Amino acid sequence: MTASRIRLWDLPLRLFHWSLVATVLGAISTGLIGGGWMVWHGRQGLAVVGLLAFRLVWGFVGSTHARFAAFFPTPGKIAAYLRGQWQGVGHNPLGALSVFALLGLLSVQVASGLLANDDIAFNGPLYPLIDKALSDAATGWHRLVVNALYLLLALHVAAIAFHARIKRQNLVRPMITGWHEGPAEQESRGGGLPLFVCALIVALAVTYAASGMWIPAPAPLAPAPTMDW
Amino acid sequence: MTRNTTRALTTAVLLLLSGSVLAQQLPQLKPDEVIRYRKAGYAFMNWNMTKLKAMLDGSVPFNKDQALAAAASINSTVNSGMGALYTPGSDKDSGNEKTRLKSEFFTQPDKVKEVAGAYRIAGTKLAAAAATGDPSQIKPAFDEMGKACKGCHEAFRKD
Ligand code: HEM
Ligand code: HEM
């Protein structure tokens, strides 16, 4: 096995990652500030919905190392990795656990956010579909789950720092440039433009569904008999 | 109507400044009543904030009088002496009333003063902005009001 330069992360995956970083950090900030920023919070959250939908599809039709099946962490793989016997490129089995946990937790975060309300003047776009009590419950989840997200993000960045400092592996560069050292037969393949367009269409459709724009305005209540007091 | 609102507002502010709202003897309330009135006051402001938001983001047409009425209702609720509804022990459910008040409310008086101060200022500014009838002035005051609500919820309301 001669090490050479290979294509590891395809361009859509890299764009996905750094857009996710920007929108998630944005959503955390605007969510914490509140007030008029909640409108932006909702928009950033919707962008995260689209990114997650894209990633889900790309996990099946993307190039080699972007596919969920390529890095799905089985107990066997994790044990081998911990014994130092893992030989692959791409997400290592332990890192893969964190990838799935991050994607899963972000999904819970957006799902609850879409139904949430801030009790002041902002409602998630799917709020009209449910009643206030359920929305309050979703809001509680949203505020709870974000703490797990903080932990996982801290771990994510710490793990990358650990690889850089202790193991002398630069994981960030491949996530920016796409290139990595590796045996030529591990070169990423597949995930061409047509598949990218398909994934993009799915992402846009899911974002549209989440935006609630399709929900018809509620039939106006019968007006109160006197409106002038 | 506008003049009446202004007058009511002025009276409320004067009463408050003279200390008569806060200092006067209030009727005894049962613990579940305290919680009920407290939640009702906040829910009422929530309704008025929602009306303002809808006018400001264009989902309903802007109406000067409606905006002023909503802002004045918020400001007079802010200045209605709701602090009196935080009786010791009212952080526990009572009767049919569930409460989300954190017990920290009673152990962090400085923080309470800080959030309540910001909230009072925001209320005054919102009412003043609404009096101009200009949405571009109401918008920033509305945003500040929302932040003031959230500031207290972050500190003293359970999830
Ligand atoms: C809001 C913050 C972040 C989120 C939500 C996030 C999320 C993710 C996700 C979901 C993956 C898996 C990629 C995939 O889908 O296959 C990933 C991988 C990665 N992230 Fe982040 N990330 C964040 C911040 C960062 C930061 C700040 C850095 C740089 C220091 C970084 C560097 C990386 C690297 C290098 C990988 C690839 C790891 C590997 O080689 O296995 N991430 N991130
Ligand atoms: C990954 C995406 C998201 C992240 C990281 C995120 C994060 C946050 C954070 C940090 C808060 C403040 C929680 C607190 O005050 O303790 C918050 C509040 C909130 N978020 Fe999100 N959020 C996301 C997506 C969404 C979406 C898609 C919506 C709906 C459009 C939404 C609706 C809300 C609402 C209504 C609140 C106010 C809750 C309250 O004040 O009690 N969020 N979010």
Side-chain angles (χ1 to χ4, degrees):
Chain A
M1 284 217 303
T2 50
S4 52
R5 231 159 70 104
I6 59 162
R7 280 247 155 239
L8 179 62
W9 304 124
D10 56 45
L11 181 63
L13 185 84
R14 287 175 279 141
L15 284 177
F16 158 80
H17 181 265
W18 299 110
S19 315
L20 191 70
V21 175
T23 46
V24 168
L25 293 181
I28 291 175
S29 323
T30 51
L32 289 174
I33 301 171
W37 287 101
M38 288 313 286
V39 175
W40 282 98
H41 183 73
R43 290 178 187 147
Q44 288 157 335
L46 269 185
V48 175
V49 170
L51 288 167
L52 289 172
F54 171 81
R55 184 64 184 98
L56 187 66
V57 178
W58 207 239
F60 296 96
V61 305
S63 74
T64 314
H65 299 288
R67 296 191 179 205
F68 295 143
F71 58 86
F72 193 81
T74 60
K77 281 204 237 170
I78 294 174
Y81 177 70
L82 291 176
R83 284 194 304 269
Q85 292 166 350
W86 181 73
Q87 289 285 337
V89 297
H91 298 310
N92 72 53
L94 219 49
L97 270 184
S98 132
V99 171
F100 284 109
L102 265 172
L103 295 175
L105 217 53
L106 281 171
S107 304
V108 177
Q109 190 67 19
V110 291
S112 58
L114 294 173
L115 302 172
N117 73 88
D118 72 352
D119 255 352
I120 299 169
F122 180 81
N123 296 328
L126 299 185
Y127 175 88
L129 300 177
I130 57 171
D131 61 21
K132 172 88 164 91
L134 190 55
S135 173
D136 285 347
T139 309
W141 279 97
H142 196 68
R143 293 164 53 89
L144 188 70
V145 169
V146 78
N147 295 304
L149 193 61
Y150 293 153
L151 267 180
L152 215 56
L153 286 179
L155 191 69
H156 180 60
V157 175
I160 286 154
F162 171 79
H163 278 273
R165 289 287 186 105
I166 313 291
K167 301 185 88 177
R168 303 258 157 235
Q169 288 170 329
N170 186 339
L171 299 183
V172 178
R173 196 180 325 113
M175 196 40 101
I176 296 173
T177 63
W179 294 101
H180 188 58
E181 325 279 85
E185 63 273 21
Q186 295 271 27
E187 173 99 0
S188 274
R189 280 183 190 84
L193 188 62
L195 289 168
F196 173 72
V197 172
C198 287
L200 200 62
I201 290 171
V202 174
L204 289 174
V206 172
T207 310
Y208 177 73
S211 74
M213 285 192 289
W214 49 275
I215 301 174
L221 299 174
T226 26
M227 292 291 280
D228 56 350
W229 51 270
Chain B
M1 181 238 169
T2 308
R3 183 169 307 148
N4 281 346
T5 322
T6 321
R7 195 174 303 147
L9 211 72
T10 320
T11 319
V13 170
L14 286 178
L15 274 174
L16 194 85
L17 289 179
S18 66
S20 47
V21 172
L22 297 180
Q24 92 194 356
Q25 281 296 316
L26 293 169
Q28 273 292 317
L29 296 177
K30 298 181 198 310
D32 57 344
E33 287 178 316
V34 167
I35 297 172
R36 177 162 173 257
Y37 294 143
R38 186 163 69 202
K39 293 201 297 196
Y42 291 130
F44 180 62
M45 288 192 287
N46 182 191
W47 180 51
N48 284 292
M49 288 294 279
T50 305
K51 286 189 280 182
L52 281 176
K53 162 96 181 314
M55 281 188 256
L56 291 172
D57 71 14
S59 40
V60 306
F62 183 79
N63 175 310
K64 242 170 53 195
D65 293 333
Q66 289 272 348
L68 184 59
S73 303
I74 293 166
N75 189 39
S76 57
T77 312
V78 169
N79 286 304
S80 65
M82 278 180 70
L85 298 175
Y86 287 90
T87 49
S90 64
D91 53 337
K92 309 267 179 315
D93 295 351
S94 173
N96 279 331
E97 294 295 339
K98 296 220 181 315
T99 181
R100 289 165 71 189
L101 178 62
K102 282 189 188 167
S103 52
E104 281 84 347
F105 190 90
F106 301 108
T107 56
Q108 302 177 353
D110 290 342
K111 182 71 187 167
V112 172
K113 216 174 265 168
E114 180 193 322
V115 296
Y119 166 64
R120 297 267 290 278
I121 294 171
T124 310
K125 289 196 172 154
L126 179 60
T132 67
D134 174 4
S136 70
Q137 298 214 28
I138 303 175
K139 178 74 172 66
F142 167 84
D143 288 348
E144 284 308 308
M145 189 75 239
K147 272 188 212 161
C149 307
K150 181 170 171 102
C152 187
H153 291 169
E154 289 299 310
F156 298 119
R157 189 170 80 150
K158 285 180 214 156
D159 286 328

